[in-house]
Amino acid sequence: MRDTPLSNCERDFLLKAIEEKKRLDGRQTYDYRNIKITFGTDYGCCFVDLGKTRVMAQVSCELVTPKESRPNEGIMFFNLELSPMASPAFELGRSSELLVKLNRQLERCLRNSKCIDTESLCVVSGEKVWQIRVDVHMLNHDGNLMDATSIAAIAALSHFKRPDVGIQGDEVTVYSAQERDPIALSIYHMPICVSFSFFQQGTYLLVDPCEREERVMDGLLMIAMNKHREICSIQSSGGIMLLKEQVLRCSTIASVKVSEITDLIAKALENDKKARKEGRKCGFAESMPQERITALKNLETTVEMTDLTKQASDIVEGVETPAEMALSPVVPAPGVGQVGAGLQNAWGLEDEEDDEDEEEEEEEDGDEPEVTIVAEKRGNKKKGERPVVIISDSEEEEVVILNPESS
Amino acid sequence: MEVCSSDGFNFNVTLREFGCEQSLLSRPDGSSSFIQGDTSVLAAVYGPAEVKVSKEIYDRATLEVVIQTKVGLPSVKERSQEQCVRETCEASLLSSLHPRSSLTLILQVLHNDGSLLSCFLNAACMAFMDAGLPMSCLFCGVTCAIAMDGQVITDPTATQEKESRALLTFAIDSTEQKVLMSSTKGSFSVHELQECIAISQKASEKIFQFYRESVQRRYSKTL
């Protein structure tokens, strides 16, 4: 599937509007879209809505052997996926430039900045350490995937709790969530990415570009920063040339935005913690907006089942029992073997009998009548006296059966 | 969740609380999220759209189903679920109205707490309705689990699925309550199979009623 190409008049309109300091959705130059952060039912699942851009991050952990060069440090693994759901241009399995860029930026932002204490993830030095795996899925692409991804990833890492581990001598016991409370990761700081898009060779700047604006931009500057005003990474792409003052101005804007976003994440985590402590249900189901006309919820319902067992029994009894199966193979004459003699011919039958014992997964597709149909008796093929069954459709007038010489 | 005994005539089984939201994503042509208890799934449909020449069919639309789990790469299990969903959709979509086009259905697991395959089917049907794709009938998925003592549970949670002796999922169509697809795991008798099919058909009525109500609500302002 290909994305619809951008028309020239759309491009001209966008650029002209940007020159007049106007944006398509009415924002100001430095305004972010509405950010909404929700958490899933289990620890480590986070949904971020940046305007219409939607991203989901899931953190999971596993015990693995550590890298040889760092035997007492845990491993962080990032996996970003451009789901075909997010945009018709994304194809599954195709490693595009955008995917590599986003993956690399996420790694730089979170791993190289050492925001997570990896030494606390060590269980047995040199043998077992925790591998923390962050999977980010793009659900809807309306521009600025990187910012949404970094917010989702760091919020999910802050939300995640790993299982408790006990070490007694040589034995390592991993306790489940019911046995011992899981432990949160130790996070030093929260790096957040802020994207700046440049137009007309760096003359005009916009923060948090939407999808249309991204298509007409000349270059992108991504600054990852934490709330202590420390820059974790800077990346400029698109080949634009920026002045020193521009970059410094962007970093000042970024520090303001980052502190706002960090407050938002902290508030969302607080709310979630409070809700869980009160025992309220949390998750995607709860965060579904009720008042919208496109959403509907039904409470637990019972299904009336009077007479259903009787109906089922009737159906089962109505089916005729299949013909007796002969032990196979049958040897009617020396040198001749026969398998499946005297059975009903089931080939080419649309109706099927339902008396198979399913031990493994089975699939039946196509429109089948729901209850099983009585299997038609096709017992007209009495093989009777003949020792050998003729299976061929030969159009020869005479069929000669060569019998072996009776010994 | 209540269970039903297999030798009484008057008994009830329950379906968990379910909810649905349509058109929640702006890029896909149709999207929906379907929630059954704690299991939630997001479905997105693109189509009819351009298809690669290698995949085009001269008289029908090419349907592609992609299932994505939260963690890790898709395995054989996801592929087999994709096949189940694809075959149900092919049976109900009027794909001959869009020859040489592609219809893509993408399903994303948001949380798995049992009855995942039936949640996929329900989300897929709502997404097709949201996209406005022509269908000959609606379909829904119902999962039944047979516990070790023979009790039948509909819409089981993950713990109930693990403790069950058999797990059966049926896709039922809306016009004649026929079984479009069945996917089973475990061993069960003939009688139990027929009972589960009958139970699924009865339960599907509730789900179709829910579809009607949500579409009615959706278009209440315009119609």
Side-chain angles (χ1 to χ4, degrees):
Chain A
M1 239 185 320
R2 262 181 284 158
D3 211 354
T4 32
L6 193 67
S7 54
N8 283 340
C9 52
E10 252 184 308
R11 176 187 300 268
D12 293 339
F13 176 77
L14 280 162
L15 288 173
K16 194 110 191 289
I18 291 169
E19 279 172 38
E20 294 173 15
K21 307 262 192 223
K22 290 202 175 75
R23 289 178 90 160
L24 273 190
D25 42 11
R27 285 185 280 159
Q28 299 296 313
T29 330
Y30 300 147
D31 278 354
Y32 251 85
R33 287 171 283 182
N34 256 341
I35 303 179
K36 192 169 103 148
I37 303 174
T38 38
F39 295 99
T41 323
D42 44 353
Y43 286 117
C45 181
C46 172
F47 298 93
V48 168
D49 287 14
L50 179 62
K52 292 200 208 142
T53 301
R54 254 194 194 205
V55 153
M56 172 177 85
Q58 172 72 51
V59 179
S60 52
C61 64
E62 206 189 358
L63 277 174
V64 296
T65 36
K67 290 203 181 102
E68 281 167 14
S69 53
R70 289 175 205 275
N72 50 354
E73 277 185 19
I75 304 176
M76 299 273 298
F77 180 70
F78 297 96
N79 180 34
L80 208 145
E81 268 179 38
L82 294 180
S83 163
M85 187 187 284
S87 161
F90 296 160
E91 274 177 57
L92 201 61
R94 181 87 63 85
S95 183
S96 64
E97 215 181 282
L98 177 65
L99 181 67
V100 172
K101 189 166 121 186
L102 292 175
N103 257 310
R104 194 68 202 103
Q105 178 64 11
L106 187 66
E107 280 189 8
R108 288 218 317 254
C109 186
L110 293 178
R111 188 191 290 156
N112 295 7
S113 65
K114 303 228 189 305
C115 59
I116 308 266
D117 178 18
T118 42
E119 288 192 357
S120 68
L121 298 173
C122 176
V123 176
V124 178
S125 175
E127 283 175 30
K128 286 277 174 223
V129 298
W130 284 111
Q131 174 181 295
I132 304 292
R133 187 193 165 110
V134 183
D135 286 276
V136 187
H137 300 273
M138 308 294 144
L139 301 178
N140 198 41
H141 176 27
D142 196 35
N144 206 2
L145 286 173
M146 193 59 230
D147 288 12
T149 308
S150 74
I151 299 174
I154 197 64
L157 283 167
S158 315
H159 190 246
F160 178 65
K161 289 190 169 29
R162 64 167 171 84
D164 195 3
V165 173
I167 306 176
Q168 275 143 348
D170 276 339
E171 272 188 24
V172 176
T173 336
V174 179
Y175 297 104
S176 70
Q178 285 86 28
E179 292 167 13
R180 275 208 207 165
D181 279 341
I183 310 170
L185 297 175
S186 68
I187 297 181
Y188 292 138
H189 59 98
M190 290 211 219
I192 302 206
C193 226
V194 177
S195 300
F196 301 86
S197 52
F198 289 93
F199 304 84
Q200 313 283 43
Q201 279 83 45
T203 328
Y204 301 101
L205 148 78
L206 286 181
V207 174
D208 186 21
C210 72
E211 202 255 334
R212 295 279 128 172
E213 289 162 355
E214 268 188 3
R215 291 231 214 169
V216 300
M217 71 183 175
D218 285 335
L220 188 73
L221 176 70
M222 285 194 268
I223 301 183
M225 208 190 250
N226 62 23
K227 73 168 184 203
H228 307 294
R229 311 196 60 179
E230 296 166 335
I231 294 183
C232 306
S233 100
I234 295 191
Q235 184 186 16
S236 159
S237 58
I240 37 150
M241 286 173 286
L242 297 170
L243 298 168
K244 185 178 70 173
E245 293 84 33
Q246 279 175 313
V247 179
L248 284 176
R249 191 156 50 104
C250 288
S251 62
T252 331
I253 300 168
S255 65
V256 172
K257 296 294 164 193
V258 163
S259 60
E260 282 171 14
I261 297 176
T262 316
D263 287 338
L264 200 67
I265 298 179
K267 220 178 351 168
L269 284 164
E270 248 326 295
N271 284 345
D272 181 75
K273 201 157 89 167
K274 219 171 20 164
R276 274 176 211 264
K277 215 192 275 195
E278 288 169 13
R280 273 189 281 149
K281 272 183 49 144
C282 329
F284 187 73
E286 290 312 300
S287 64
M288 198 175 84
Q290 279 307 298
E291 60 288 343
R292 283 206 199 141
I293 209 174
T294 50
L296 184 64
K297 235 185 190 177
N298 237 10
L299 298 167
E300 203 168 309
T301 47
T302 53
V303 181
E304 275 232 353
M305 303 256 297
T306 45
D307 287 339
L308 275 180
T309 338
K310 190 160 173 303
Q311 189 186 335
S313 323
D314 287 344
I315 291 160
V316 173
E317 258 121 60
V319 174
E320 294 193 7
T321 48
E324 277 288 307
M325 291 223 259
L327 293 170
S328 58
V330 175
V331 183
V336 178
Q338 198 173 302
V339 179
L343 278 185
Q344 292 176 1
N345 187 352
W347 287 74
L349 252 184
E350 271 177 78
D351 317 335
E352 282 177 30
E353 299 177 291
D354 68 329
D355 58 345
E356 301 132 45
D357 263 317
E358 275 107 358
E359 302 280 2
E360 67 275 340
E361 252 179 73
E362 174 196 55
E363 264 179 68
E364 300 162 41
D365 52 4
D367 280 81
E368 288 173 356
E370 40 134 15
V371 173
T372 314
I373 303 10
V374 179
E376 287 169 50
K377 222 181 183 143
R378 298 247 184 131
N380 297 333
K381 300 215 175 140
K382 285 245 166 191
K383 315 285 194 264
E385 291 75 30
R386 284 234 223 133
V388 176
V389 177
I390 301 173
I391 321 168
S392 72
D393 284 327
S394 169
E395 288 175 313
E396 292 176 358
E397 288 177 22
E398 217 189 281
V399 182
V400 177
I401 304 164
L402 300 169
N403 281 320
E405 289 173 52
S406 34
S407 45
Chain B
M1 168 157 346
E2 281 179 47
V3 301
C4 75
S5 60
S6 45
D7 54 4
F9 276 5
N10 285 359
F11 43 78
N12 291 327
V13 295
T14 56
L15 292 171
R16 289 183 281 182
E17 166 188 63
F18 47 86
C20 166
E21 193 185 345
Q22 291 184 307
S23 296
L24 59 164
L25 303 175
S26 69
R27 292 306 292 278
D29 296 326
S31 58
S32 79
S33 86
F34 204 85
I35 297 161
Q36 278 176 225
D38 271 337
T39 306
S40 41
V41 159
L42 190 60
V45 171
Y46 282 101
E50 204 181 324
V51 70
K52 278 200 215 133
V53 184
S54 55
K55 290 197 200 155
E56 77 173 5
I57 307 177
Y58 73 97
D59 63 344
R60 283 188 292 124
T62 315
L63 175 67
E64 210 179 287
V65 178
V66 177
I67 289 183
Q68 296 187 307
T69 48
K70 274 209 283 196
V71 184
L73 297 166
S75 67
V76 177
K77 182 158 174 235
E78 278 72 51
R79 295 272 171 265
S80 106
Q81 286 173 327
E82 280 171 18
Q83 279 293 87
C84 292
V85 174
R86 202 170 71 86
E87 268 143 29
T88 318
C89 299
E90 296 256 13
S92 69
L93 281 170
L94 296 174
S95 50
S96 53
L97 289 179
H98 301 287
R100 294 181 212 271
S101 312
S102 80
L103 300 170
T104 314
L105 170 70
I106 302 116
L107 295 157
Q108 170 77 53
V109 178
L110 298 175
H111 191 250
N112 183 7
D113 190 35
S115 311
L116 190 63
L117 186 53
S118 53
C119 202
F120 280 148
L121 290 164
N122 295 333
C125 188
M126 297 233 75
F128 284 137
M129 279 202 280
D130 187 43
L133 288 174
M135 292 197 274
S136 62
C137 63
L138 298 176
F139 56 88
C140 78
V142 185
T143 305
C144 296
I146 304 180
M148 293 294 176
D149 52 2
Q151 290 180 330
V152 175
I153 308 168
T154 46
D155 203 11
T157 59
T159 21
Q160 285 171 330
E161 276 189 359
K162 237 190 281 191
E163 294 162 6
S164 67
R165 146 162 74 89
L167 195 65
L168 304 95
T169 305
F170 299 105
I172 314 276
D173 88 315
S174 63
T175 44
E176 291 171 31
Q177 268 77 48
K178 291 190 186 180
V179 172
L180 291 174
M181 183 274 301
S182 83
S183 171
T184 67
K185 188 169 80 147
S187 64
F188 44 89
S189 71
V190 176
H191 189 265
E192 285 170 341
L193 172 67
Q194 287 305 327
E195 212 180 300
C196 287
I197 292 182
I199 292 173
S200 306
Q201 285 166 329
K202 237 349 184 10
S204 70
E205 288 171 20
K206 298 271 163 152
I207 303 183
F208 290 130
Q209 186 55 35
F210 176 73
Y211 285 177
R212 275 181 222 113
E213 280 169 20
S214 40
V215 175
Q216 225 171 1
R217 178 183 159 98
R218 172 115 184 260
Y219 295 109
S220 58
K221 288 267 168 79
T222 41
L223 292 174

